[in-house]
Amino acid sequence: MKQLYFSGFCLEGESELFSEYLIENDFTISGFSYGAIKAFDFALYSASVGVRVDLVQLFSPAFFNDKDKKYKRMQLIYFNKDSKTYCNNFLENSGFSQEQKSKYFTEGKYEELDELLNYNWDKEKLKLLSQNGTKIEVYLGEDDKIVDTQKALEFFVDVAEVYFIKHKGHIL
């Protein structure tokens, strides 16, 4: 298996932003935001069919377990009204500079946002992957305006190694 990286919502090719932290080898799966969901699900599936996965790196995982249905529905309504503006605001609130937005931006899809908002991180699945020998690392941005990093920390801390990364005027 070749090292896999899954891009975030509204993004393409942004993995270089995490080069300082990314472990690149055949047994590591990584992703940012929406891509963290995809990375985790792919790792869980791979491990279940006997494919070796040593490490899963989740950069600012899209953690909305703490948001109610009304919040999620409103986000989808705002996206439907003006998807390009919604995506730009989403990236700005994620800490992306204007230069980074112009370099990595790709307009997100309604289905991706719906999945991102409604994905339910499951501790039992995280524990199962860990029990199969896969190390899980979660990287949270200290100044993230999209997710509540304290609630994400409380959720992930007993099933993964959690790291806080300070913004340096740029993402993470």
Side-chain angles (χ1 to χ4, degrees), residues 54-73:
D54 290 345
L55 176 63
V56 176
Q57 294 181 297
L58 308 175
F59 296 97
S60 295
F63 182 79
F64 294 98
N65 288 23
D66 61 321
K67 303 296 184 197
D68 63 19
K69 288 181 183 180
K70 181 180 177 184
Y71 170 87
K72 295 172 184 179
R73 188 173 57 246

Side-chain angles (χ1 to χ4, degrees), residues 5-96:
Y5 177 87
F6 292 87
S7 287
F9 179 66
C10 308
L11 296 167
E12 189 172 296
E14 82 285 1
S15 65
E16 67 186 9
L17 297 173
F18 306 103
S19 62
E20 181 179 343
Y21 309 99
L22 275 173
I23 304 298
E24 296 188 46
N25 62 43
D26 292 344
F27 308 108
T28 299
I29 302 171
S30 309
F32 170 70
S33 181
Y34 175 66
I37 292 169
K38 295 301 188 186
F40 175 72
D41 284 347
F42 187 82
L44 190 61
Y45 170 77
S46 296
S48 75
V49 296
V51 175
R52 179 178 164 188
V53 178
D54 290 345
L55 176 63
V56 176
Q57 294 181 297
L58 308 175
F59 296 97
S60 295
F63 182 79
F64 294 98
N65 288 23
D66 61 321
K67 303 296 184 197
D68 63 19
K69 288 181 183 180
K70 181 180 177 184
Y71 170 87
K72 295 172 184 179
R73 188 173 57 246
M74 292 305 297
Q75 295 300 309
L76 292 167
I77 288 169
Y78 294 142
F79 179 86
N80 266 340
K81 284 186 178 185
D82 186 350
S83 60
K84 189 167 187 163
T85 299
Y86 183 92
C87 291
N88 274 315
N89 288 337
F90 185 90
L91 292 178
E92 185 176 305
N93 287 326
S94 295
F96 279 81

Side-chain angles (χ1 to χ4, degrees), residues 140-144 147-154 164:
L140 299 171
E142 286 188 339
D143 300 324
D144 194 327
V147 299
D148 183 330
T149 54
Q150 186 59 41
K151 289 187 179 174
L153 169 65
E154 290 168 7
F164 276 99

Side-chain angles (χ1 to χ4, degrees), residues 90-120:
F90 185 90
L91 292 178
E92 185 176 305
N93 287 326
S94 295
F96 279 81
S97 68
Q98 190 60 42
E99 178 185 334
Q100 290 168 327
K101 284 195 298 186
S102 64
K103 185 173 182 180
Y104 304 112
F105 179 82
T106 183
E107 193 163 336
K109 297 181 177 101
Y110 179 91
E111 297 77 20
E112 293 169 339
L113 179 59
D114 185 37
E115 182 180 5
L116 177 147
L117 291 167
N118 290 296
Y119 187 83
N120 185 40

